[in-house]
Amino acid sequence: MSLLVDTSVWSLALRRDTPPDGVEVKALRSALEQGESVVCTGLIRQELLQGFAGAKSRDSLLQHFSALPFISPDRTDHIEAAELRNHCRRNGVQVGTIDALIAQLCIRHELTLLSTDADFRHAARFCPLRNWGAQ
């Protein structure tokens, strides 16, 4: 299984003030230890960098993430993400712009999304998004 790990899980895994013991963090740690494919995208990297202060934290984060395969959205992904968001909204589910694009990247690249964000579980009712733990 190939995973795209959402900001919510990375944030928990990288926190120093509390021990990361959530099931999603354990799943991330297990995937990394077992050499499973864990990918990242610019939106998630940007969100993480916005949450950390100082050059040392920035450099450390960039170094850790440099080993992960990187996927980027193309023009079609943005169009499909807008359609995904509109379809969910018509069905009563609000999906943010960034979350819609993350979901679209997972769908196109056949990735499973590892997230603590319930919005993705709600969106998956109306699109072929695979959420970790829902299989």
Side-chain angles (χ1 to χ4, degrees):
M1 164 176 32
S2 295
L3 291 175
L4 178 65
V5 180
D6 185 40
T7 308
S8 60
V9 177
W10 284 117
S11 293
L12 289 171
L14 297 172
R15 289 180 71 167
R16 294 187 181 138
D17 58 344
T18 58
D21 60 355
V23 293
E24 293 87 358
V25 173
K26 288 178 182 176
L28 169 59
R29 191 164 276 130
S30 175
L32 291 170
E33 289 170 355
Q34 295 177 14
E36 291 182 36
S37 177
V38 175
V39 303
C40 194
T41 188
L43 295 167
I44 293 169
R45 187 176 294 175
Q46 179 181 341
E47 286 181 326
L48 287 168
L49 287 168
Q50 290 170 175
F52 285 88
K56 187 175 180 181
S57 294
R58 176 190 170 276
D59 292 345
S60 176
L61 186 72
L62 289 174
Q63 182 180 5
H64 282 89
F65 278 79
S66 68
L68 299 179
F70 192 83
I71 57 172
S72 296
D74 63 17
R75 183 183 312 233
T76 302
D77 288 317
H78 289 281
I79 294 167
E80 294 294 324
E83 290 181 15
L84 182 152
R85 187 171 186 265
N86 291 339
H87 179 70
C88 286
R89 188 175 61 231
R90 283 191 299 274
N91 285 283
V93 174
Q94 294 296 323
V95 178
T97 301
I98 290 174
D99 289 351
L101 188 53
I102 289 170
Q104 171 55 31
L105 287 171
C106 286
I107 293 166
R108 177 166 69 104
H109 293 279
E110 298 180 351
L111 302 168
T112 299
L113 180 64
L114 179 59
S115 178
T116 63
D117 188 340
D119 290 346
F120 289 113
R121 287 192 302 277
H122 298 303
R125 297 187 342 238
F126 302 103
C127 67
L129 173 63
R130 291 186 308 215
N131 283 303
W132 179 87
Q135 288 86 351

